[in-house]
Amino acid sequence: MRSNFPFLLMVVIRVTYQFTHTNFVVKKLVDCDKRNVSKFYSNLRNEGGRQYLDFDAVFPKAMDETVGVLCDIETSLDEKVYAKLFTIRERNCCASMHKYMGEFAYALEQSAGIAPGVCPIPKRKYRARNHYLDFSKISLQTFPFGHLRLTIKVVDNDANSAVLFCITCYIDNVLN
């Protein structure tokens, strides 16, 4: 009897490949906080196959251990109907940002005048201009290819209904 091991190994490698190698193209960023507590404004532009971000944001509270994050990651075939893949819930927004985003977060922090990798992040207004979005630096690289919607809510742990920052990112994770 012939073994199916080589075939099964190829299937596992192909499936694993389909859920790795983040190659994001951000299509749109939307401030999803109806009250816009963070006073977040952004401009995203494409130049020469690269994406650059300008933003202004106010952190109304220090991003310390009392500030958590909820991140819903959804996928879509038609960009109209989205299905939830998973939710990341963490009680320390700053630490989880560094854990899941790694070097990508450090570069973004440096562009905004924040000491990279240091928690807590002080309460104040931050601004970044011409920040190159290098998604290869994201620590978490297990995203399916296709149309994705990431909704990131930064919340006060003491009052979960108190949204301090909310952004929805519409992303295409494309095959090379």
Short mmCIF file of all heavy atoms in Angstrom, two decimals, residues 64-92:
data_model
loop_
_atom_site.label_atom_id
_atom_site.label_comp_id
_atom_site.label_asym_id
_atom_site.label_seq_id
_atom_site.Cartn_x
_atom_site.Cartn_y
_atom_site.Cartn_z
N ASP A 64 -1.38 52.66 30.09
CA ASP A 64 -0.72 51.86 31.12
C ASP A 64 -1.51 50.57 31.33
O ASP A 64 -2.33 50.20 30.49
CB ASP A 64 -0.58 52.67 32.41
CG ASP A 64 -1.92 53.18 32.94
OD1 ASP A 64 -2.99 52.67 32.52
OD2 ASP A 64 -1.90 54.09 33.80
N GLU A 65 -1.29 49.90 32.45
CA GLU A 65 -1.95 48.62 32.71
C GLU A 65 -3.45 48.75 32.94
O GLU A 65 -4.16 47.74 33.00
CB GLU A 65 -1.29 47.88 33.89
CG GLU A 65 -1.45 48.56 35.22
CD GLU A 65 -0.46 49.71 35.45
OE1 GLU A 65 0.50 49.85 34.68
OE2 GLU A 65 -0.69 50.48 36.40
N THR A 66 -3.98 49.96 33.04
CA THR A 66 -5.43 50.15 33.22
C THR A 66 -6.15 50.31 31.88
O THR A 66 -7.36 50.47 31.85
CB THR A 66 -5.73 51.39 34.08
OG1 THR A 66 -5.32 52.57 33.38
CG2 THR A 66 -5.04 51.30 35.43
N VAL A 67 -5.40 50.25 30.78
CA VAL A 67 -5.98 50.42 29.45
C VAL A 67 -5.80 49.14 28.65
O VAL A 67 -4.68 48.64 28.49
CB VAL A 67 -5.32 51.61 28.72
CG1 VAL A 67 -5.84 51.74 27.30
CG2 VAL A 67 -5.55 52.90 29.49
N GLY A 68 -6.93 48.58 28.19
CA GLY A 68 -6.91 47.33 27.44
C GLY A 68 -7.21 47.54 25.97
O GLY A 68 -7.44 48.66 25.52
N VAL A 69 -7.23 46.44 25.24
CA VAL A 69 -7.51 46.49 23.80
C VAL A 69 -8.35 45.29 23.38
O VAL A 69 -8.19 44.19 23.91
CB VAL A 69 -6.19 46.56 22.99
CG1 VAL A 69 -5.38 45.29 23.12
CG2 VAL A 69 -6.47 46.87 21.53
N LEU A 70 -9.25 45.55 22.45
CA LEU A 70 -10.04 44.50 21.79
C LEU A 70 -9.77 44.65 20.30
O LEU A 70 -9.93 45.73 19.75
CB LEU A 70 -11.54 44.69 22.03
CG LEU A 70 -12.02 44.67 23.47
CD1 LEU A 70 -13.47 45.17 23.54
CD2 LEU A 70 -11.91 43.28 24.02
N CYS A 71 -9.37 43.57 19.66
CA CYS A 71 -9.09 43.62 18.23
C CYS A 71 -9.88 42.50 17.55
O CYS A 71 -9.61 41.33 17.78
CB CYS A 71 -7.61 43.46 17.96
SG CYS A 71 -7.19 43.49 16.20
N ASP A 72 -10.87 42.89 16.73
CA ASP A 72 -11.64 41.93 15.95
C ASP A 72 -11.02 41.82 14.57
O ASP A 72 -10.79 42.84 13.91
CB ASP A 72 -13.10 42.38 15.80
CG ASP A 72 -13.87 42.28 17.10
OD1 ASP A 72 -13.61 41.34 17.87
OD2 ASP A 72 -14.74 43.14 17.34
N ILE A 73 -10.75 40.60 14.14
CA ILE A 73 -10.19 40.36 12.82
C ILE A 73 -11.21 39.57 12.02
O ILE A 73 -11.63 38.49 12.43
CB ILE A 73 -8.84 39.64 12.91
CG1 ILE A 73 -7.88 40.51 13.73
CG2 ILE A 73 -8.28 39.34 11.52
CD1 ILE A 73 -6.56 39.89 14.05
N GLU A 74 -11.62 40.16 10.89
CA GLU A 74 -12.67 39.58 10.05
C GLU A 74 -12.16 39.43 8.62
O GLU A 74 -11.24 40.13 8.21
CB GLU A 74 -13.90 40.48 10.05
CG GLU A 74 -14.46 40.72 11.45
CD GLU A 74 -15.45 41.86 11.47
OE1 GLU A 74 -15.02 43.01 11.25
OE2 GLU A 74 -16.64 41.59 11.70
N THR A 75 -12.79 38.54 7.87
CA THR A 75 -12.43 38.32 6.47
C THR A 75 -13.67 38.40 5.59
O THR A 75 -14.79 38.23 6.09
CB THR A 75 -11.73 36.96 6.29
OG1 THR A 75 -11.26 36.84 4.95
CG2 THR A 75 -12.67 35.79 6.60
N SER A 76 -13.45 38.67 4.32
CA SER A 76 -14.57 38.82 3.39
C SER A 76 -14.15 38.35 2.00
O SER A 76 -13.01 38.52 1.59
CB SER A 76 -15.01 40.28 3.32
OG SER A 76 -16.00 40.45 2.33
N LEU A 77 -15.12 37.81 1.29
CA LEU A 77 -14.89 37.46 -0.11
C LEU A 77 -15.25 38.61 -1.03
O LEU A 77 -14.62 38.82 -2.06
CB LEU A 77 -15.73 36.23 -0.50
CG LEU A 77 -15.38 34.93 0.22
CD1 LEU A 77 -16.38 33.84 -0.14
CD2 LEU A 77 -13.96 34.51 -0.12
N ASP A 78 -16.27 39.39 -0.64
CA ASP A 78 -16.80 40.43 -1.52
C ASP A 78 -16.66 41.85 -0.97
O ASP A 78 -17.13 42.80 -1.58
CB ASP A 78 -18.27 40.16 -1.83
CG ASP A 78 -19.14 40.14 -0.58
OD1 ASP A 78 -18.65 40.44 0.52
OD2 ASP A 78 -20.34 39.82 -0.72
N GLU A 79 -16.05 42.01 0.19
CA GLU A 79 -15.88 43.29 0.87
C GLU A 79 -17.21 43.93 1.28
O GLU A 79 -17.26 45.12 1.58
CB GLU A 79 -15.06 44.27 0.03
CG GLU A 79 -13.65 43.80 -0.23
CD GLU A 79 -12.84 44.79 -1.01
OE1 GLU A 79 -12.30 45.73 -0.37
OE2 GLU A 79 -12.74 44.65 -2.24
N LYS A 80 -18.27 43.14 1.30
CA LYS A 80 -19.58 43.62 1.77
C LYS A 80 -19.99 42.91 3.04
O LYS A 80 -20.46 43.52 3.98
CB LYS A 80 -20.63 43.43 0.68
CG LYS A 80 -20.38 44.30 -0.54
CD LYS A 80 -21.38 44.04 -1.63
CE LYS A 80 -20.99 44.88 -2.84
NZ LYS A 80 -21.47 44.38 -4.06
N VAL A 81 -19.82 41.60 3.06
CA VAL A 81 -20.17 40.78 4.21
C VAL A 81 -18.88 40.23 4.80
O VAL A 81 -18.07 39.62 4.09
CB VAL A 81 -21.11 39.62 3.80
CG1 VAL A 81 -21.40 38.72 4.98
CG2 VAL A 81 -22.39 40.16 3.18
N TYR A 82 -18.68 40.47 6.10
CA TYR A 82 -17.47 40.02 6.78
C TYR A 82 -17.81 38.93 7.79
O TYR A 82 -18.85 38.98 8.44
CB TYR A 82 -16.78 41.18 7.50
CG TYR A 82 -16.04 42.09 6.55
CD1 TYR A 82 -16.70 43.13 5.90
CD2 TYR A 82 -14.69 41.91 6.29
CE1 TYR A 82 -16.03 43.96 5.03
CE2 TYR A 82 -14.01 42.74 5.42
CZ TYR A 82 -14.69 43.76 4.79
OH TYR A 82 -14.02 44.58 3.92
N ALA A 83 -16.91 37.95 7.91
CA ALA A 83 -17.05 36.87 8.90
C ALA A 83 -15.90 36.99 9.90
O ALA A 83 -14.74 37.14 9.50
CB ALA A 83 -17.00 35.51 8.21
N LYS A 84 -16.24 36.93 11.18
CA LYS A 84 -15.21 37.07 12.22
C LYS A 84 -14.31 35.84 12.24
O LYS A 84 -14.79 34.71 12.24
CB LYS A 84 -15.85 37.25 13.59
CG LYS A 84 -14.83 37.56 14.67
CD LYS A 84 -15.42 37.64 16.05
CE LYS A 84 -16.11 38.96 16.23
NZ LYS A 84 -16.46 39.21 17.64
N LEU A 85 -13.02 36.07 12.24
CA LEU A 85 -12.04 35.00 12.37
C LEU A 85 -11.69 34.78 13.83
O LEU A 85 -11.76 33.67 14.34
CB LEU A 85 -10.77 35.32 11.58
CG LEU A 85 -10.91 35.41 10.07
CD1 LEU A 85 -9.60 35.88 9.44
CD2 LEU A 85 -11.31 34.06 9.50
N PHE A 86 -11.30 35.86 14.51
CA PHE A 86 -10.99 35.78 15.94
C PHE A 86 -10.92 37.17 16.54
O PHE A 86 -10.88 38.17 15.83
CB PHE A 86 -9.69 34.99 16.20
CG PHE A 86 -8.48 35.51 15.51
CD1 PHE A 86 -7.63 36.42 16.13
CD2 PHE A 86 -8.13 35.06 14.24
CE1 PHE A 86 -6.50 36.89 15.51
CE2 PHE A 86 -6.99 35.52 13.60
CZ PHE A 86 -6.17 36.44 14.23
N THR A 87 -10.92 37.20 17.87
CA THR A 87 -10.80 38.44 18.63
C THR A 87 -9.62 38.30 19.57
O THR A 87 -9.46 37.27 20.23
CB THR A 87 -12.08 38.72 19.44
OG1 THR A 87 -13.17 38.88 18.54
CG2 THR A 87 -11.94 39.97 20.30
N ILE A 88 -8.82 39.34 19.62
CA ILE A 88 -7.73 39.40 20.59
C ILE A 88 -8.18 40.37 21.69
O ILE A 88 -8.57 41.49 21.39
CB ILE A 88 -6.42 39.91 19.95
CG1 ILE A 88 -5.95 38.96 18.85
CG2 ILE A 88 -5.33 40.12 21.01
CD1 ILE A 88 -4.79 39.48 18.02
N ARG A 89 -8.15 39.91 22.94
CA ARG A 89 -8.50 40.74 24.09
C ARG A 89 -7.32 40.73 25.04
O ARG A 89 -6.86 39.68 25.45
CB ARG A 89 -9.72 40.20 24.83
CG ARG A 89 -10.97 40.24 24.03
CD ARG A 89 -12.09 39.47 24.74
NE ARG A 89 -13.10 39.15 23.75
CZ ARG A 89 -14.32 39.63 23.78
NH1 ARG A 89 -14.70 40.39 24.76
NH2 ARG A 89 -15.17 39.32 22.84
N GLU A 90 -6.85 41.91 25.36
CA GLU A 90 -5.71 42.03 26.27
C GLU A 90 -6.01 43.14 27.26
O GLU A 90 -6.61 44.15 26.91
CB GLU A 90 -4.44 42.37 25.49
CG GLU A 90 -3.98 41.29 24.54
CD GLU A 90 -3.21 40.15 25.21
OE1 GLU A 90 -2.81 40.31 26.39
OE2 GLU A 90 -3.04 39.11 24.56
N ARG A 91 -5.55 42.97 28.50
CA ARG A 91 -5.79 43.97 29.54
C ARG A 91 -4.74 45.08 29.56
O ARG A 91 -4.93 46.09 30.20
CB ARG A 91 -5.87 43.29 30.91
CG ARG A 91 -7.04 42.33 30.93
CD ARG A 91 -7.82 42.18 32.17
NE ARG A 91 -7.90 43.19 33.16
CZ ARG A 91 -8.94 44.02 33.31
NH1 ARG A 91 -9.95 43.98 32.46
NH2 ARG A 91 -8.97 44.88 34.29
N ASN A 92 -3.64 44.89 28.85
CA ASN A 92 -2.61 45.91 28.79
C ASN A 92 -2.34 46.24 27.32
O ASN A 92 -1.63 45.52 26.63
CB ASN A 92 -1.33 45.44 29.48
CG ASN A 92 -0.30 46.54 29.60
OD1 ASN A 92 -0.13 47.37 28.70
ND2 ASN A 92 0.43 46.54 30.71
#
